[in-house]
Amino acid sequence: VATTPLIISVSRLEALCTEAFRRAGLSDVNAASAADVLVTTDSWGVFTHGTKALRGYVRRLLAGGLRPDGRPSVIQEGPAWALVDGDSSLGLVTSVFAMHKAIEKARASGTAYVGVRNSSHFGAAGYYSSLAAEAGLIGMAMANDIPSVAAPGSAGAITGSNPFSFAVPAARHRPLFLDMSVATVAGGKVYAARERGESIPSGWLIDAAGKPTTDANAYPEYATLTPAAGHKGYGLALLVETLSGCLTGAQTTWGIRSWLAGDLGVPTMHGAAFLVIEPAAMASDLPQRVSELIDEIHGAERADGVERIFVPGEMEWERRERALREGIALPSDVVASLRDLQGLVGLDLADYADSGDPEDSADDADSTRSPAQRDVR
Amino acid sequence: VATTPLIISVSRLEALCTEAFRRAGLSDVNAASAADVLVTTDSWGVFTHGTKALRGYVRRLLAGGLRPDGRPSVIQEGPAWALVDGDSSLGLVTSVFAMHKAIEKARASGTAYVGVRNSSHFGAAGYYSSLAAEAGLIGMAMANDIPSVAAPGSAGAITGSNPFSFAVPAARHRPLFLDMSVATVAGGKVYAARERGESIPSGWLIDAAGKPTTDANAYPEYATLTPAAGHKGYGLALLVETLSGCLTGAQTTWGIRSWLAGDLGVPTMHGAAFLVIEPAAMASDLPQRVSELIDEIHGAERADGVERIFVPGEMEWERRERALREGIALPSDVVASLRDLQGLVGLDLADYADSGDPEDSADDADSTRSPAQRDVR
């Protein structure tokens, strides 16, 4: 089936995701919260980690490997830390719970670590960091995953792509905001490029003998992602593995199960970690100083031919503002993925792509500009 | 003056450094502590950040830009954090103080952040992380510095090379241990390569127009280091800048002064940050799990032609063990730097290179094997 891109409003995409999660058994509150994670991620333009993952989460919720009625809880805690058991809930639900706990602890003690066990794939790490920054705190979020990234000298995968993110509040700007994989590129980008028929640059993958390859189709069975900046990405991967896995009681490396493939009826046992620092008591001028730093960078001399120097997260926040105004242009691979919700939970994407809901009148006005949207109906 | 390499025992190099710091006005305790930072760094084979820096520190101590009798102190604190004012002391002294404070706070609260203002260049970030790991805790250390690293799209420097390090205790192995610059390579490596007449690989530097250059001599006046893995290294640089600078009351970017050049009589106003997590209460099996992870990596399939897969820090610990047995082979640029102590504080390197001290008899036995050492006398 040929699939075209689709422009859809943020509110309608949220409604679609919320209803899909609800039909998969999540409570209203958790369904809406998880939908916000995925749609916010799409609105940043990070389509590899947004609603494209909804299909996989729903499948696992229906099969029982994720517990729709799971309840993440604190199983151990101290003044500036907590360990959370996710109870095999959706990783997004557990991670929102854990980050809120970290924010609460940091407000009391100045800083906090919250480790998570018995979780699953948590989507975009940056969503959780940005929760802290929106509340005025410095947030970091990270998670482990099944091995997909090589170490210097290895022939195969040693660590997961182990995302790491941070967000820092700024007075007159959107937060500084980074969400990175420890791989040269995230595996999702290899999948997405393959699905879109795009080629893979050299340096992203090594083959089974540990030599560079450009064959995207070999991934992940016969090829492995390279670590970003070699030993630096490899080292950061092991820091994330330590804080998300070894310290939390979660599984690590080959002990974790794929959230997408294999037996959908068993827990994946991912770990995650959240670090928060409350600047208010230490340096009440932090947001101001960060804004000054951003201004300084914006005013710096540019390389020949460059129009702007961006600070981390700036592109994502601008994409989000545009998405809130004009809707999100979902790539065709995401659209194809969302169409599968029909077979899974009986949801028709077309019902959401152009709703008659009067609350969406502003969206309707926008969406009439979109030929792509009409195509999909 | 032609200078050859020199093999010197760890204890004699420590004695030399301690005496140099003492003559520059440091207390006996601080002199010995700072000497341990530098000599440990050399013993790891990280010669860009070890005793090579002693000359510069001594010059600044003598000129007053570093206060020999400065006393770092906690100026603000909470259950899981503290801010330290370095009082323009040697950065090594202030950083040891701050990391010990972070360890103390983390033992009480589970995690701690200690930020430092009014510090200076602190040598190798990894030394402070390893202090935590040796005490059984997870340590992170970082600092800002004068701008030397570009951002994607900039023509010049935007951030310092902003070192970041971590160390994690392991039950049956030396700690996992990473010490990285956010640049593709640290500036010290460009200086060292230039001094040794070695060439600079492409990708390390951009020129004044923002284009790649291989001219090491242009650095730092007309060339800028590139960020490691592009936007990832740039983003991490700003996290380090936030935690070390914006959050501590230290200077940031162009507000910091060079610790090596310029007016040696004024403070440099560097910042630093230390994060510690105490695993004991959370997961008493952390060191065991980290050891299992290390075993797993050691046993992983290797790329064609590779003999071992190292975990982060393993090379450094093995170099240190060898250095403790056989002495440290100081490169010629370090030797030349140490010889300048003669003119600064009246210390003759040759007096330490082969001492008649009976406590050093084991070292003497080793040193008779070294033609390089005899050359320097």
Side-chain angles (χ1 to χ4, degrees), chain A residues 76 80-81 109 111 153 155 158 166 181 183-184 209 232 234-235 238 245 250 253 281-282 289 296-297 300-304 310 312, chain B residues 76 80-81 83 109 111 153 155 158 166 181 183-184 209 232 234-235 238 245 250 253 281 289 296-297 300-304 310 312:
Chain A
Q76 227 183 323
W81 63 278
S109 296
T111 175
I158 299 293
F166 76 84
S181 140
T184 305
K232 299 186 183 187
Y234 170 48
L238 292 179
T253 63
M282 308 176 194
R289 291 203 63 189
E296 178 184 301
I297 293 171
E301 204 179 339
R302 299 184 299 275
D304 286 356
F310 290 88
Chain B
Q76 226 182 323
W81 64 277
L83 290 185
S109 296
T111 176
I158 299 294
F166 75 85
S181 139
T184 305
K232 299 185 182 187
Y234 169 49
L238 292 178
T253 63
R289 291 202 65 187
E296 177 183 302
I297 294 170
E301 204 178 340
R302 300 183 299 276
D304 286 356
F310 290 88

Side-chain angles (χ1 to χ4, degrees), chain A residues 295-341:
Chain A
D295 287 339
E296 178 184 301
I297 293 171
H298 284 162
E301 204 179 339
R302 299 184 299 275
D304 286 356
V306 170
E307 297 213 347
R308 290 174 63 184
I309 302 174
F310 290 88
V311 296
E314 193 168 15
M315 287 183 193
E316 286 77 9
W317 294 123
E318 290 186 5
R319 286 193 207 111
R320 176 161 173 78
E321 278 154 25
R322 185 172 168 185
L324 288 167
R325 283 196 314 271
E326 302 176 11
I328 300 175
L330 295 176
S332 54
D333 58 324
V334 177
V335 174
S337 166
L338 292 175
R339 281 193 171 159
D340 288 347
L341 294 172

Side-chain angles (χ1 to χ4, degrees), chain B residues 183-201:
Chain B
T184 305
V185 298
K189 289 192 181 165
V190 179
Y191 286 128
R194 187 174 68 180
E195 286 173 26
R196 294 175 202 165
E198 293 166 9
S199 66
I200 300 288

Side-chain angles (χ1 to χ4, degrees), chain A residues 83-161:
Chain A
L83 290 186
V84 166
D85 188 305
D87 196 24
S88 301
S89 308
L90 187 67
L92 290 62
V93 168
T94 298
S95 299
V96 167
F97 175 86
M99 181 47 104
H100 281 136
K101 180 59 63 180
I103 291 170
E104 177 193 320
K105 295 267 182 193
R107 283 194 166 135
S109 296
T111 175
Y113 161 83
V114 173
V116 169
R117 69 175 70 161
N118 204 1
S119 186
S120 188
H121 189 260
F122 76 170
Y127 179 85
Y128 312 103
S129 301
S130 75
L131 286 182
E134 280 165 19
L137 297 89
I138 298 168
M140 292 175 245
M142 64 201 86
N144 63 9
D145 201 357
I146 55 168
S148 61
V149 183
S154 78
I158 299 293
T159 72
S161 62

